[in-house]
Each structure stands twice: as C-alpha cells, then as structure tokens.
Amino acid sequence: GLYVSRKDLSMSELFPKNFIIQRDAFDWHVIGIENGIATLLMRTDIFAGSYYSDKLGDSYRDSFVRKRLNGWILETLIRDGYRPIPTEISDSGSEDSLWELSAEEFEKLPKRLKVFPRRWWLRDKGSKPGTSLCVNRDGSLEECEDIPETDTPTLRPAMRMKLEDLIVREEKKPEPD
C-alpha cells in the first residue's frame, strides 16, 4: 500500500490541504475525496513524447498518451503496490485507471497545483488540427502542437484509489528472541 508523511491523519486533513501521498519515485496530490475514494494527481511528471501517433486516431481515446498511461506506466504502478480503480472518462468514452485531466477538471484545481516547472498535457483536443490543450509553466492553458520538440509537454496523470489502500498501518516489529 501507500504511506503518508504524517501519522494519524483525519479525513478532514486529507483534503483540501496540501496533502501528498508518497511511494517510491511518485508523489501524488489528493485533489478530491468522495465516498471513500480519493482522486489523486501526480505531483511529479512522466516524459510523454508525442500526444498522438500516425497509427492511432486523433482523439484522446485513441492517443499514444492514453495507451502509454494505461500500458507500461499502469503495469509499473501495479507492480509497485498501487491499486487504481478503473474510472469512466465520460468525454472520451473510455474507462481508464490513469488519465490526463480535462480542461474542466484542471480549472477546479487550486493555483498551487496548476503551476509546474514543465508544460503538461490535458486530454482535450485543440481547435486546430493536430493540437491538444496543455498547461504552461505559469498554469495558463495553450493549444500545443503535437510535434517533437525540446519543450514537449509531459504527463501528470490522475487516478482514483480507495482510501483504505492509501494508508499503511505500521507493522509491529517482532519481539527479539
């Protein structure tokens, strides 16, 4: 399971304060709690490369980003003890364990979570062909072209997990012989 950095956290402390869940290389912000399920946003990021692929379609559902998140990245997280809940992504018609936020979900985030050292993808298409929305370093939105470049946006996926899967109870040390 995952662990938290402070002992004895109550439900009211989990959200909306700056609470971070930590495990291995990934840290997660709690961005919502409903019915015992936490929605988490990755605090760090993962290199994405191209958003779309010539072999795939031009929607989030068919994107390289979605396939990468729910392929080897998900497999890595599961191997590390994560148990994400598959979630229906209504605007894409898919059910995913990991996903990029929509612009609507992004707008609900506090400013401190929008500002980030690198640009990162959202799942919304841009108005021009070959573009998708991304978040700039200052937290503003922009239509980003899907071309390899030095400043290609990265991934900051979200996922949902049961609260009981987030907090590990301390194991008692065995008594010495």
Side-chain angles (χ1 to χ4, degrees):
L2 304 176
Y3 65 93
V4 297
S5 57
R6 293 170 42 205
K7 291 182 182 179
D8 305 320
L9 286 169
S10 69
M11 287 293 288
S12 62
E13 289 180 294
L14 286 173
F15 181 77
K17 297 182 181 174
N18 190 21
F19 179 75
I20 299 169
I21 293 168
Q22 302 171 321
R23 182 177 173 98
D24 302 323
F26 300 113
D27 294 348
W28 300 84
H29 291 287
V30 176
I31 60 172
I33 295 177
E34 187 176 334
N35 299 324
I37 305 292
T39 301
L40 310 173
L41 174 67
M42 186 175 276
R43 185 172 179 225
T44 53
D45 63 342
I46 302 168
F47 175 73
S50 181
Y51 190 95
Y52 301 112
S53 167
D54 293 338
K55 297 176 185 168
L56 304 172
D58 65 349
S59 68
Y60 178 76
R61 181 184 174 95
D62 298 322
S63 70
F64 176 73
V65 162
R66 178 176 174 258
K67 298 205 180 309
R68 185 170 192 183
L69 286 175
N70 289 280
W72 71 267
I73 294 172
L74 176 61
E75 290 169 8
T76 300
L77 291 174
I78 290 171
R79 198 173 33 251
D80 286 345
Y82 289 82
R83 294 196 303 234
I85 298 169
T87 301
E88 184 179 336
I89 310 301
S90 59
D91 58 344
S92 72
S94 60
E95 185 174 276
D96 296 330
S97 295
L98 296 170
W99 66 91
E100 289 299 289
L101 295 179
S102 68
E104 182 179 335
E105 292 165 330
F106 169 79
E107 291 299 337
K108 295 176 184 175
L109 293 176
K111 178 74 173 170
R112 66 182 165 74
L113 298 184
K114 293 178 180 179
V115 175
F116 195 71
R118 286 170 293 286
R119 296 185 315 154
W120 48 290
W121 290 114
L122 296 180
R123 69 174 182 265
D124 302 77
K125 287 181 71 166
S127 61
K128 298 177 228 159
T131 65
S132 295
L133 289 184
C134 68
V135 181
N136 289 313
R137 291 172 185 81
D138 64 1
S140 64
L141 297 181
E142 174 186 3
E143 288 190 19
C144 294
E145 291 186 53
D146 187 29
I147 54 174
E149 56 181 78
T150 310
D151 196 24
T152 300
T154 61
L155 301 176
R156 286 185 74 195
M159 71 173 168
R160 290 195 175 110
M161 287 183 61
K162 292 180 183 175
L163 287 175
E164 66 242 27
D165 291 341
L166 298 179
I167 301 171
V168 171
R169 292 165 183 82
E170 290 184 8
E171 293 182 29
K172 292 184 179 179
K173 293 181 181 179
E175 297 292 325
D177 293 330

